[in-house]
Amino acid sequence: MQRSTQRGHRSVPHTADVRIEAWAPDREGCLAEAVTALVETFADTAGARPQTDTEFRLPPGDDEDLLVGLLDEVIFRLDTEGTLPLDCDVRPAEDGGLGVRWHSTGTDAVELVGAVPKAVSLHALRVGPDAAGWACAVTLDV
């Protein structure tokens, strides 16, 4: 993956679903970028204002489990609450899990511009350190 910045994300072509890539100097930044990339696949959040703060913890797991758990949480809250994160802060927890905080808004405050993801695919899932920091790639079922 060729990077244009030290921290970022992008969508990449995929035949039937949506594939995203994210990168950052550290694991937590990479996971936060993946959340932003997921949201940008289906919503234009420009001009949206945070309506609520959301905090939660992810239990300890390997890096793949943490990535999937984080992205699943976005999809779950979208489905059950009609909310999505405008930004994401991920911190390591002492128990090996993650502490996550994001500023959320309702779907009525954004323009939907793509297919809403239904699930995170485990096929070709990648997350881990590389020569420039951390990177991940994941396919989203739409």
Side-chain angles (χ1 to χ4, degrees):
M1 168 185 347
Q2 184 177 2
R3 298 183 188 178
S4 59
T5 62
Q6 194 172 19
R7 182 175 171 147
H9 58 270
R10 66 181 174 192
S11 293
V12 294
H14 193 270
T15 54
D17 295 310
V18 175
R19 185 136 174 103
I20 58 173
E21 296 177 346
W23 58 91
D26 57 30
R27 179 185 71 166
E28 291 74 22
C30 180
L31 297 178
E33 285 292 328
V35 168
T36 302
L38 181 152
V39 171
E40 287 180 1
T41 66
F42 69 92
D44 179 358
T45 61
R49 301 281 181 248
Q51 298 171 342
T52 187
D53 287 341
T54 302
E55 292 189 42
F56 61 94
R57 294 181 48 82
L58 290 173
D62 62 27
D63 297 325
E64 291 83 6
D65 290 341
L66 293 171
L67 174 62
V68 170
L70 182 59
L71 298 180
D72 277 345
E73 188 71 20
V74 174
I75 294 168
F76 172 76
R77 290 181 188 259
L78 180 65
D79 287 344
T80 61
E81 300 172 355
T83 63
L84 55 98
L86 295 175
D87 60 50
C88 182
D89 181 50
V90 179
R91 299 282 176 224
E94 289 182 17
D95 66 358
L98 296 174
V100 181
R101 181 174 187 204
W102 60 48
H103 301 292
S104 303
T105 194
T107 54
D108 58 341
V110 301
E111 181 181 354
L112 298 180
V113 295
V116 176
K118 299 297 179 201
V120 178
S121 173
L122 300 180
H123 178 71
L125 177 72
R126 282 191 346 258
V127 61
D130 67 8
W134 278 73
C136 67
V138 63
T139 302
L140 307 167
D141 297 330
V142 293

